Amino acid sequence: MILPFVREVFADVEKSSAFVRAVTQVKGGAERIRVSGLTPTGKSLFCTLLHRAVARPLVVIVADNRAMDELLPVVRSLAELTGAVAPDAVVGMPAYDVLPFDNLSPHPEIQEARATVLWKVASGAASVVITPLAAAAMRLRDAGFYAGLAKVVRRGEMVDSEQLIEHLRVVGYNQVDVVEMPGEFAHRG
């Protein structure tokens, strides 16, 4: 339950000229807007209320992974508090921890986080995406490509193991004897 005075604060933000101007720009067809001068908490509240007002997915670009990690839990909390968006629909897509031509592989946890976010975006499950500039600047494929990478397997469901193993190999999983890290699988029985 939101206390009445908190609800009034949120309503005041939604009535502010800067917020109304941003909503008008987005609804008027502006694909990009820039908002500056807000504290991190103010930015988080602005994002959540803006999503509710325009009813469209938002991409919030921040400086780096650290800024994303700081902003993400606050936006999720305010999303839950305001009821503007489901907290699990607020996602963070980290930038790789290596440069493209360093001849090194990104950390598996970063690859896993990026894959999860890209699948959520492709399937329409992401409403607010917070991402560093380095990740936003990377060239990506169309949504259908990422939607096709996911395969849902449920307990008790019959699955052709050879097709599943082939799918896992195609999407970049490594077959190992004992799974220790994301991106690995083991075949038993």
Side-chain angles (χ1 to χ4, degrees):
M1 178 178 138
I2 300 177
L3 296 172
F5 76 91
V6 175
R7 189 173 291 120
E8 290 172 13
V9 170
F10 294 159
D12 288 346
V13 171
E14 291 175 303
K15 292 176 188 171
S16 72
S17 62
F19 185 82
V20 171
R21 191 172 41 243
V23 170
T24 304
Q25 287 178 352
V26 173
K27 284 185 175 180
E31 292 183 11
R32 290 174 243 178
I33 63 168
R34 181 178 26 189
V35 179
S36 61
L38 296 171
T39 64
T41 306
K43 195 181 303 181
S44 301
L45 180 60
F46 198 90
C47 292
T48 346
L49 296 176
L50 184 62
H51 176 268
R52 178 169 61 192
V54 299
R56 287 175 41 185
L58 298 177
V59 176
V60 180
I61 299 175
V62 295
D64 53 26
N65 283 349
R66 183 176 179 200
M68 179 195 71
D69 289 338
E70 291 171 357
L71 190 63
L72 187 60
V74 181
V75 173
R76 281 183 178 152
S77 297
L78 286 169
E80 185 174 20
L81 182 64
T82 61
V85 61
D88 59 338
V90 178
V91 296
M93 186 169 77
Y96 286 124
D97 57 341
V98 296
L99 295 173
F101 302 106
D102 279 349
N103 207 20
L104 297 170
S105 293
H107 194 278
E109 288 179 3
I110 290 177
Q111 288 179 314
E112 176 189 20
R114 286 179 59 84
T116 301
V117 169
L118 289 170
W119 180 76
K120 282 186 172 189
V121 168
S123 65
S127 297
V128 178
V129 179
I130 302 170
T131 186
L133 178 61
M138 291 187 69
R139 186 176 185 145
L140 299 172
R141 297 179 185 224
D142 63 275
F145 173 81
Y146 297 107
L149 294 178
K151 174 124 178 93
V152 177
V153 179
R154 291 182 178 82
R155 182 184 298 195
E157 181 181 335
M158 296 300 293
V159 176
D160 182 348
S161 62
E162 293 305 316
Q163 284 182 347
L164 179 61
I165 289 170
E166 182 59 28
H167 177 76
L168 291 172
R169 286 187 182 133
V170 166
V171 298
Y173 280 74
N174 296 319
Q175 187 168 4
V176 295
D177 293 330
V178 178
V179 174
E180 295 178 346
M181 297 187 64
E184 298 178 340
F185 75 95
H187 181 211
R188 304 265 191 262

